[in-house]
Amino acid sequence: MTTPASSCRLAVDTDDGIFTVTAHQASTYQVRLGDGLTTGALSSHLDALASHLKVTEIGVLIDAGVAENHLGNITAAVTRTGLPLRIIRVEAGQDSTSSDSLNTLIRALPPRPWTRRTLLLAVGGGSVHNLVRTAAGYLQGLPYALVPTTVQAQIDAGAGPDYGLAADRLGTPYPAGVYVDPTLTATLPDQHITAGLAEAIKVALVTNPLLFATLEKSTGPRPAGPVLTTIVCEAMGSKLLLRALNPQRELLQRGHCVGGAYTAALRYRIPHGEAVAVGVAVAAAHAFLSGQSTLEHRDRILDLLAAYRLPVAIPDEIRNPVWAFVAAPGRLRNGYLRLILPLRPGRCAFTDDFDRSAFDKAVDDLAARP
């Protein structure tokens, strides 16, 4: 006996008294993108979403730094819905994904029993979004929506649960809505703009050579206005398509071991995008040195990273700590390390042939560049 997966939430096969059950969970949500969205249509979008979800209040969880520039517009948009508003500020940075921050958020929400009638609206960067996603899972499906305020978060927000305090392992639901307004990034320092663009470069290398070409044409003044909107839209769309194709989700979630190790060696004191850039640079150097890519393609990748003033080299004083963090997952996998190699824009490959010697050669190759 077999029940088709398309007609029910569970597909069940039976054979010799053994039941094989495949559970399917479908989530549908809209990602809306537009310049000036938060000062224009956001209110009507939230009103429609609140009506659909039958929520009775909106809790705005906002990055304390972001609140200085954007809380007024967000508050005005929520107030126009006519629903009660609760504002919860959290400190920016990696610590906002800690258990202490999660406890602070939960204490600020209405007491149990949970009725799922509070819509959480997360306003800020990726760490704030991760905090809300984790809380939503912990609170058994409390609805939430995202308003990303950094380039990195805007590219990532539409793709659903990913990282954080245990993210998917807590059964984190997908957002009820995502509202992307590239003009919110205008108040960011240049370092945070370019750090976010490192994610766009990574996505372009995996799947979108036209986006890579757009990024190459936009390296003068920092991208803004329609140019930045195009970059965010293309990168976000490419990432969504990759996540929709299960065989290729791995390209976004695994194999970027050097970037994470670089961040850890620096004790998380740098923007995530700068770590992404270093990871891409090491992978590009290894692709060239192992004969899987050409000097022309290696230089094209490294030149673009450098044009956005992103780091591409690993200083000698942290080389050993970085490798220690790179090698740690391998010890859990019997020495198995997997690295994604950018061969050229739009094409990547996996390699298992990446040891300390290969790492040192790649680091030396990057240090030798003028």
Side-chain angles (χ1 to χ4, degrees):
M1 177 184 72
T2 301
T3 60
S6 58
S7 63
C8 67
R9 293 179 61 86
L10 295 179
V12 181
D13 294 331
T14 60
D15 184 19
D16 294 332
I18 299 174
F19 291 85
T20 302
V21 182
T22 304
H24 298 267
Q25 179 180 359
S27 297
T28 302
Y29 59 97
Q30 291 187 331
V31 180
R32 297 182 178 273
L33 184 148
D35 288 341
L37 179 67
T38 50
T39 56
L42 178 61
S43 179
S44 60
H45 294 324
L46 289 176
D47 192 33
L49 182 62
S51 177
H52 172 70
L53 297 173
K54 296 182 173 57
V55 300
T56 57
E57 72 167 350
I58 296 178
V60 175
L61 182 77
I62 189 165
D63 181 303
V66 170
E68 296 178 10
N69 297 303
H70 303 302
L71 181 58
N73 288 333
I74 298 297
T75 299
V78 174
T79 300
R80 286 195 292 272
T81 68
L83 292 172
L85 166 65
R86 184 188 299 261
I87 298 173
I88 307 165
R89 289 178 171 85
V90 296
E91 293 302 319
Q94 191 73 18
D95 286 345
S96 66
T97 60
S98 68
S99 57
D100 287 343
S101 294
L102 178 61
N103 289 333
T104 298
L105 170 58
I106 292 172
R107 286 196 299 269
L109 293 173
R112 286 179 181 270
W114 303 107
T115 62
R116 300 184 185 178
R117 292 294 179 260
T118 298
L119 171 66
L120 294 178
L121 185 65
V123 184
S127 56
V128 173
H129 292 182
N130 286 337
L131 176 60
V132 165
R133 288 176 176 131
T134 304
Y138 180 79
L139 299 174
Q140 302 176 350
L142 206 67
Y144 70 95
L146 305 176
V147 180
T149 60
T150 66
V151 176
Q152 171 91 40
Q154 291 183 350
I155 293 172
D156 287 345
D162 199 355
Y163 306 111
L165 281 171
D168 295 329
R169 293 176 180 80
L170 282 175
T172 304
Y174 281 80
V178 178
Y179 308 101
V180 179
D181 181 354
T183 64
L184 294 179
T185 66
T187 59
L188 295 175
D190 287 351
Q191 181 188 23
H192 288 274
I193 294 288
T194 56
L197 292 174
E199 184 69 18
I201 293 171
K202 183 185 79 175
V203 172
L205 286 170
V206 171
T207 187
N208 194 330
L210 293 180
L211 173 59
F212 195 89
T214 298
L215 288 159
E216 287 181 312
K217 296 174 184 176
S218 308
T219 57
R222 76 182 202 174
V227 174
L228 181 59
T229 301
T230 297
I231 291 171
V232 169
C233 184
E234 285 291 320
M236 183 173 61
S238 294
K239 199 160 190 176
L240 283 168
L241 290 174
L242 280 170
R243 293 218 45 183
L245 302 170
N246 278 332
Q248 292 179 303
R249 283 185 68 175
E250 190 174 32
L251 290 170
L252 292 174
Q253 295 184 344
R254 302 176 190 167
H256 301 288
C257 53
V258 176
Y262 182 74
T263 306
L266 291 175
R267 299 184 180 181
Y268 303 96
R269 293 193 298 263
I270 60 169
H272 174 71
E274 293 189 2
V276 169
V278 169
V280 167
V282 171
H286 180 62
F288 164 64
L289 293 172
S290 61
Q292 299 183 63
S293 182
T294 65
L295 178 63
E296 176 186 358
H297 287 129
R298 184 209 69 170
D299 284 348
R300 188 179 175 194
I301 294 168
L302 298 181
D303 287 346
L304 182 58
L305 294 171
Y308 283 112
R309 298 182 297 281
L310 289 163
V312 296
I314 295 177
D316 278 340
E317 59 267 24
I318 63 169
R319 180 189 297 222
N320 288 334
V322 170
W323 174 253
F325 283 110
V326 170
R331 289 194 292 272
L332 299 176
R333 302 169 187 157
N334 297 318
Y336 175 78
L337 275 176
R338 199 168 210 195
L339 187 69
I340 296 172
L341 303 182
L343 307 183
R344 62 174 181 267
R347 184 177 179 186
C348 292
F350 285 109
T351 182
D352 300 330
D353 185 20
F354 189 68
D355 56 15
R356 177 61 193 261
S357 175
F359 171 77
D360 283 335
K361 289 177 181 177
V363 172
D364 289 342
D365 181 63
L366 294 171
R369 275 176 54 89

